[in-house]
Amino acid sequence: MKQYTLKIYFGDNSAPAYFGGDRQDDSSNTTPFQVALKKSRDCNSYAACLCTGKELPLSVRLRMEKHHLARFPLTGIKHREDCRFYSSLSPEGPQGCYTQDALKEKPDGTINIKLDYPLQVTGPSTPIDSSLRSGDASRNNKRDTVSILGLLHFLWETTSYNTWVPKMDGMRSSTKLGYHLFKQAEKIEAGKTKLSDVLLTPAYTNSSDSRRNSMTVERAKVNKQRLVVIAELAKFSESYMDGLNRLPVRDFSGMPFLGLDDARWKSALDRFPIAVNGWIKGMKVFVIAVTDVPGAKSAQVRQLALMMVSDRYIPLDSLNEGAFEQKLFELERSFYKPLRYDSSTYEYLADFCLTDVSTDNHLPIPVEIWGMNTPDYQEHRMVKERWYNANYGETGWLSWDATRTSVDSIESLLPKKMKSLYHDIIK
């Protein structure tokens, strides 16, 4: 990988230093490059990679008595592909719950994902467990496969649909989302199967997306491949709760009849109560499903997961998050939503991160939403507050108590917008 020119900052009162690839010598602590990194860290400043001609921020960290540079969250994919800081993966975040066998980047940039089951059927089709084993991994107990919910989170994050800046308003729809998911799937292999070869996405009648879906189904029949379906659930109806013998989705042009037995459907409703509650209340809910090899006109769904999203397709873990995200939109704020993948709930994660302001270390400001007032929850809250203080400092994070203050109070909690390293990067 190539070493592009770096720009190292030393605070507001000193001119930055530039280091070309031939000057990035870190053979000892006394080289000019290491001295510059130490000074930058002492000034609580940062560096930037100039591989694209624009500044992509890098944090300065001390490890094993030497200073090193690390990517900022969500920026790895923004670097040139031949840059040493380029990566489609973000193992420093919740993706760190996977082993390299589960999620890895090949030398040609392809992402190889090992799902809980193969998409290619080579012999008699083995049954797929209807239960979804997810949310059970940590950095100390890594997972060697990726669940379909983890796959959905990966696609959502690598297409940047967990990020928002005001200029995106009016630019998103379910079919545009589907197209972007498909383009990302072209870079992903599940085993030896290219994900785009088996992926069905939202499509209108007589559209190019519909024709692509139809071709995908026909190819899966010939190649004996299971289908992966990502679609928005149809508008809620009470009649759906007991099952319809099919998966109730909208914008399904080009897809086969998606058969679904009532037991699997009710199991999914039980496993994703937050998404179901949001669906009942009129929120958008997306489903990712894996089917058997399709037949003449239908494909039987064998496993599925649900995810609630906002009108801007930002994933949400609660209705309180939905209210907060809506307020951020109305206030024209920029932010992103960290996604959990298959990491355990014991692995702490911010609910949102503001990208139009930054902390003293130039990272986005994390936001926590407190949603309950029970004794057990309050005990959990104190533990998590200590975690935030230890990782971000007492003034380096924000919180909103949805049980005590109204949505209208959110504006007064937020710091004023200011120039941020992230604002132009995540668009």
Side-chain angles (χ1 to χ4, degrees):
M1 302 297 281
K2 189 172 180 179
Q3 291 187 325
Y4 285 91
T5 298
L6 300 175
K7 186 177 182 180
I8 301 178
Y9 287 91
F10 307 109
D12 297 332
N13 300 321
S14 299
Y18 291 83
F19 287 84
D22 59 341
R23 296 186 59 225
Q24 295 169 30
D25 179 9
D26 60 0
S27 58
S28 75
N29 290 330
T30 60
T31 64
F33 183 58
Q34 277 289 312
V35 170
L37 291 180
K38 181 181 185 304
K39 181 180 177 181
S40 178
R41 184 170 178 270
D42 290 344
C43 295
N44 199 26
S45 196
Y46 66 100
C49 177
L50 304 181
C51 66
T52 64
K54 297 181 179 180
E55 295 189 11
L56 294 170
L58 302 167
S59 61
V60 184
R61 298 178 181 176
L62 180 63
R63 186 173 70 248
M64 302 294 290
E65 300 183 357
K66 279 180 116 177
H67 288 83
H68 302 266
L69 293 171
R71 296 182 298 267
F72 274 33
L74 303 182
T75 64
I77 201 168
K78 303 295 184 179
H79 290 263
R80 287 176 59 102
E81 290 191 10
D82 62 346
C83 176
R84 66 183 174 118
F85 295 109
Y86 172 84
S87 178
S88 295
L89 303 181
S90 302
E92 63 274 8
Q95 289 180 15
C97 74
Y98 299 116
T99 65
Q100 275 226 330
D101 287 339
L103 187 63
K104 63 183 175 183
E105 188 170 10
K106 297 168 67 174
D108 64 357
T110 301
I111 302 300
N112 191 271
I113 294 179
K114 183 180 179 182
L115 296 175
D116 288 340
Y117 37 78
L119 297 179
Q120 180 70 59
V121 177
T122 56
S125 183
T126 55
I128 297 176
D129 188 355
S130 63
S131 63
L132 184 67
R133 186 176 70 88
S134 62
D136 54 0
S138 69
R139 291 187 172 276
N140 295 324
N141 184 27
K142 295 178 182 286
R143 210 174 189 269
D144 56 9
T145 59
V146 179
S147 74
I148 57 170
L149 182 61
L151 174 62
L152 184 64
H153 283 186
F154 182 78
L155 286 167
W156 226 265
E157 182 167 87
T158 51
T159 52
S160 298
Y161 272 80
N162 66 323
T163 68
W164 182 260
V165 296
K167 288 183 179 179
M168 292 176 179
D169 193 16
M171 298 174 63
R172 290 182 171 180
S173 68
S174 64
T175 53
K176 286 181 179 178
L177 163 70
Y179 174 76
H180 290 139
L181 295 177
F182 170 76
K183 296 305 290 183
Q184 184 60 34
E186 290 183 321
K187 307 171 187 176
I188 297 172
E189 291 178 350
K192 295 183 178 180
T193 301
K194 183 181 285 189
L195 184 60
S196 57
D197 286 347
V198 297
L199 181 65
L200 304 181
T201 64
Y204 301 141
T205 303
N206 296 325
S207 66
S208 58
D209 298 316
S210 174
R211 290 188 288 275
R212 171 167 51 80
N213 280 344
S214 297
M215 290 170 58
T216 297
V217 174
E218 292 305 312
R219 183 169 52 240
K221 291 178 187 176
V222 173
N223 295 333
K224 298 189 183 305
Q225 293 170 317
R226 296 178 170 120
L227 294 169
V228 176
V229 182
I230 298 177
E232 184 181 346
L233 290 184
K235 184 179 179 181
F236 175 77
S237 169
E238 190 66 40
S239 63
Y240 293 161
M241 296 301 286
D242 290 330
L244 296 168
N245 198 34
R246 64 176 173 84
L247 186 62
V249 295
R250 55 179 297 177
D251 302 333
F252 51 80
S253 185
M255 299 183 187
F257 179 89
L258 297 172
L260 176 62
D261 63 80
D262 292 348
R264 289 176 196 267
W265 175 238
K266 290 179 180 178
S267 172
L269 298 181
D270 289 341
R271 287 185 284 110
F272 297 95
I274 293 173
V276 173
N277 186 39
W279 187 38
I280 292 171
K281 295 183 182 300
M283 300 290 288
K284 294 180 185 292
V285 172
F286 271 78
V287 58
I288 181 169
V290 175
T291 76
D292 284 337
V293 176
K297 294 184 178 180
S298 66
Q300 195 70 18
V301 172
R302 293 305 183 190
Q303 194 178 87
L304 66 156
L306 304 176
M307 182 176 76
M308 178 169 62
V309 301
S310 71
D311 288 340
R312 286 150 294 282
Y313 300 89
I314 302 294
L316 303 169
D317 292 325
S318 70
L319 290 173
N320 285 330
E321 284 192 11
F324 190 87
E325 189 270 354
Q326 176 66 30
K327 194 65 177 179
L328 291 180
F329 164 70
E330 293 170 1
L331 295 172
E332 298 186 343
R333 303 304 297 253
S334 301
F335 57 92
Y336 73 89
K337 165 68 179 175
L339 300 179
R340 183 165 291 281
Y341 291 81
D342 288 310
S343 61
S344 164
T345 54
Y346 293 104
E347 296 283 307
Y348 290 147
L349 197 64
D351 291 321
F352 292 97
C353 290
L354 298 178
T355 57
D356 51 12
V357 289
S358 57
T359 59
D360 289 342
N361 61 2
H362 307 283
L363 292 170
I365 290 183
V367 181
E368 180 70 23
I369 298 171
W370 309 116
M372 291 190 288
N373 202 20
T374 63
D376 286 346
Y377 186 84
Q378 290 302 311
E379 184 176 344
H380 161 76
R381 173 173 174 169
M382 288 189 292
V383 173
K384 196 164 187 181
E385 284 176 339
R386 289 195 292 271
W387 177 82
Y388 272 114
N389 290 337
N391 285 274
Y392 299 97
E394 293 186 6
T395 60
W397 62 286
L398 305 172
S399 67
W400 173 50
D401 191 334
T403 68
R404 297 179 180 176
T405 57
S406 68
V407 173
D408 293 333
S409 70
I410 292 173
E411 183 174 6
S412 64
L413 297 173
L414 303 178
K416 292 183 179 180
K417 290 187 286 186
M418 58 185 290
K419 185 177 180 180
S420 165
L421 297 174
Y422 265 80
H423 191 266
D424 293 328
I425 293 173
I426 68 168
K427 290 191 292 186

